[in-house]
Amino acid sequence: MDVALINGLVMTDDGLKPGLAVRLSGDRIVAVGPAAEVAVNAQPRDLAGGLLLPGFIDIQVNGGGGALFNDAPTAQTIAAIGQAHRRFGTTGFLPTLISDELTAVEAAIAGTRAAIAGGVPGVLGVHIEGPFLNPKRKGIHELSKLRRIDEAAFELLTSLETGRTLVTLAPETTNPEMIGRLVAADVVVSAGHTNASYATVRAALDRGLSGFTHLFNAMAPLSSREPGVVGAALDDAASWCSIIVDGRHVDPVVLRIALRCKSHDRFILVTDAMPSVGSDSISFVLQGKTIAVRDGVCVDEHGTLAGSDLDMASAVRNAGALLGLSLAEASRMASRNPAEFLGLGDVMGRIAPGYRGDLVLLNQDLHVLDTWIGGVDAAMAGLGDGLPDRAAHG
C-alpha cells in the first residue's frame, strides 16, 4: 500500500513548504501536493511538524560504526558503514578507499559491485581516493602506496560496470589524455592531494575533470602570481567543490570567501568520515598508524589530519552555524548537488514525483528522527523506531 507522509514541512526546490504531503509507492515518490489530494487511499504517516528533506548523499565515506573500508573492502563492511551513517541522515554514499595497492583497489571495486548486487541500502558506487596523488600533498596517505596511472590501473578504475565510480587524483601525476579516457569511460574525476599549477588543472578541466576533493585541504593554495589548484577551482564556474565543514579542516572565514566566488549550487558537503562516526571508539588504526579522535577531529601522533569525525547531519547544521547558509542551501549541498555531480540528478536529491524515495526527517534542531531509503523507513528496515542521531554521536 502507498504511504503518505503528512503534517510536516517539505523541502521543495523553493524551500520549506507547509501543507504538503509526499506519497511513496514502492521505491519512488509519486506525488507531492495537498494532503487532501495526495493522501487519498494511502497509509498516512504523521510527521508531527518535522522537517522532511531529500536524503543526504555523502560522496566521501572512509568508515563508520567502527568499520574502515580499507581494512576490509567487502559488501559486509559497506553495509556496516551505511547503517552507521544512516542514523545521521545519509541515504546515499560512496564507500571511499584511500591510497592502497592496486589489489586493494580491485577488492574495493569487487566489494562495491557485490554490495550493489546484494541490495545494500544506500550504496551508490565507490570513491577511489588515490593512490594517484602527489607525494608533496599526501596528507595522511601512505607514501609507499602512491603511484602513477598505467594501463592496468585504467582498466581497473573502469571495471565497476554498475553504480558510479569517482576517482580522486592529482592531475600532474598523469596527463589530460588519461583524464579524458577515464571520463569517456563514465568515471567521475576529481582533483585532490595535488600540487598542480593553474595551467595543469585548467588542461584537466578541459578534458573532463569535474570536481575538487575537500577544497583547500591537501592542494596547492591560491597565491598572488600562481592561482594554483584553489584558484582553478574557484575560477571555473562549472566544476564542483566538496567541502568539509567541521570548523577544523578549513577555517569558516575561508569557506565563506569561497562561497562568494562561485555559485552555491557547485558546492558539496562531505564528511570524509572515519570509523569513529557512529561508534563509541575514540581511536582506530589506519595502515599501521594509530589515529585518535581529539577535540572532534581525527589525527595521527604528529597531529596530521586523518579524515574526520563528522557526520552529514552535523555538516548541515554547521553549514548554517558557521557559514551562514539557509537550510535550503545546506540541504541542496547535502543532496541535490552531490546527486548532480554523480550524474544522478534526474533520480535523486529532490523531493519530486519520479524521484527515489530517499528522505530524511529532522526535528527543529536539525537532528535526525527518521530516514527512508528507496521508500523504506528505518523501522521497516529493522533499524528500530527511527534513528535519533543525538544518541549515537556527540
Side-chain angles (χ1 to χ4, degrees):
M1 187 176 184
D2 289 3
V3 174
L5 308 179
I6 61 173
N7 193 25
L9 292 168
V10 177
M11 184 62 74
T12 71
D13 293 347
D14 298 318
L16 281 174
K17 300 292 183 182
L20 298 179
V22 176
R23 187 177 184 119
L24 301 174
S25 182
D27 67 348
R28 299 283 163 169
I29 299 168
V30 294
V32 179
E37 302 171 8
V38 170
V40 175
N41 297 324
Q43 179 181 341
R45 165 70 187 276
D46 190 341
L47 303 184
L51 314 179
L52 190 67
L53 275 58
F56 305 145
I57 299 172
D58 192 349
I59 63 173
Q60 191 168 5
V61 188
N62 308 294
L68 178 66
F69 193 41
N70 274 73
D71 280 353
T74 65
Q76 291 76 17
T77 298
I78 294 171
I81 292 171
Q83 183 172 327
H85 282 269
R86 182 171 182 170
R87 71 186 68 179
F88 308 110
T90 296
T91 60
F93 69 102
L94 297 183
T96 300
L97 189 84
I98 72 166
S99 296
D100 212 323
E101 304 294 342
L102 289 188
T103 52
V105 176
E106 183 177 15
I109 290 172
T112 302
R113 189 184 299 116
I116 293 173
V120 171
V123 60
L124 304 178
V126 68
H127 182 172
I128 307 299
E129 186 188 6
F132 320 105
L133 310 177
N134 190 317
K136 294 181 179 179
R137 297 286 178 178
K138 68 181 184 64
I140 199 65
H141 290 243
E142 178 61 44
L143 180 62
S144 66
K145 307 293 186 184
L146 304 187
R147 55 171 292 154
R148 299 180 72 86
I149 298 179
D150 56 18
E151 286 302 314
F154 172 82
E155 293 298 327
L156 189 55
L157 294 174
T158 58
S159 66
L160 181 59
E161 297 179 345
T162 184
R164 306 297 292 144
T165 299
L166 169 61
V167 173
T168 291
L169 53 76
E172 69 273 25
T173 67
T174 183
N175 55 62
E177 290 70 30
M178 176 59 76
I179 290 171
R181 287 177 62 195
L182 287 168
V183 172
D186 207 27
V187 172
V188 181
V189 181
S190 186
H193 291 273
T194 168
N195 212 37
S197 67
Y198 175 91
T200 297
V201 179
R202 184 65 259 169
L205 287 164
D206 291 341
R207 295 303 295 267
L209 183 140
S210 58
F212 294 86
T213 297
H214 44 55
L215 183 68
F216 294 107
N217 293 115
M219 60 179 57
L222 173 71
S223 65
S224 60
R225 286 181 291 278
E226 172 48 65
V229 182
V230 170
L234 297 180
D235 183 56
D236 183 73
S239 57
W240 307 80
C241 299
S242 70
I243 52 176
I244 303 172
V245 188
D246 61 359
R248 301 296 295 277
H249 274 74
V250 185
D251 192 289
V253 172
V254 175
L255 288 176
R256 292 199 297 268
I257 291 170
L259 288 166
R260 294 188 183 100
C261 295
K262 189 166 180 166
S263 173
H264 290 187
D265 66 9
R266 285 297 184 269
F267 286 88
I268 295 169
L269 297 180
V270 296
T271 64
D272 199 11
M274 284 296 188
S276 56
V277 175
S279 168
D280 293 330
S281 176
I282 59 171
S283 68
F284 56 93
V285 176
L286 173 66
Q287 296 178 330
K289 303 183 186 78
T290 298
I291 309 298
V293 181
R294 298 175 186 163
D295 194 23
V297 294
C298 300
V299 294
D300 70 5
E301 61 179 336
H302 304 294
T304 301
L305 288 170
S308 85
D309 190 47
L310 182 68
D311 61 79
M312 283 297 284
S314 295
V316 168
R317 292 192 294 269
N318 290 346
L322 300 179
L323 306 184
L325 297 176
S326 69
L327 180 58
E329 290 173 311
S331 172
R332 177 160 183 149
M333 290 181 188
S335 54
R336 186 171 179 177
N337 291 1
E340 292 182 353
F341 172 59
L342 294 177
L344 300 173
D346 58 342
V347 293
M348 300 181 70
R350 298 173 62 212
I351 300 180
Y355 278 69
R356 271 182 43 127
D358 293 352
L359 305 164
V360 56
L361 180 66
L362 305 177
N363 65 16
Q364 297 297 322
D365 295 325
L366 307 185
H367 287 273
V368 176
L369 299 174
D370 205 352
T371 56
W372 290 257
I373 297 179
V376 177
D377 72 4
M380 292 173 62
L383 300 178
D385 184 16
L387 294 165
D389 65 10
R390 286 169 294 176
H393 192 234

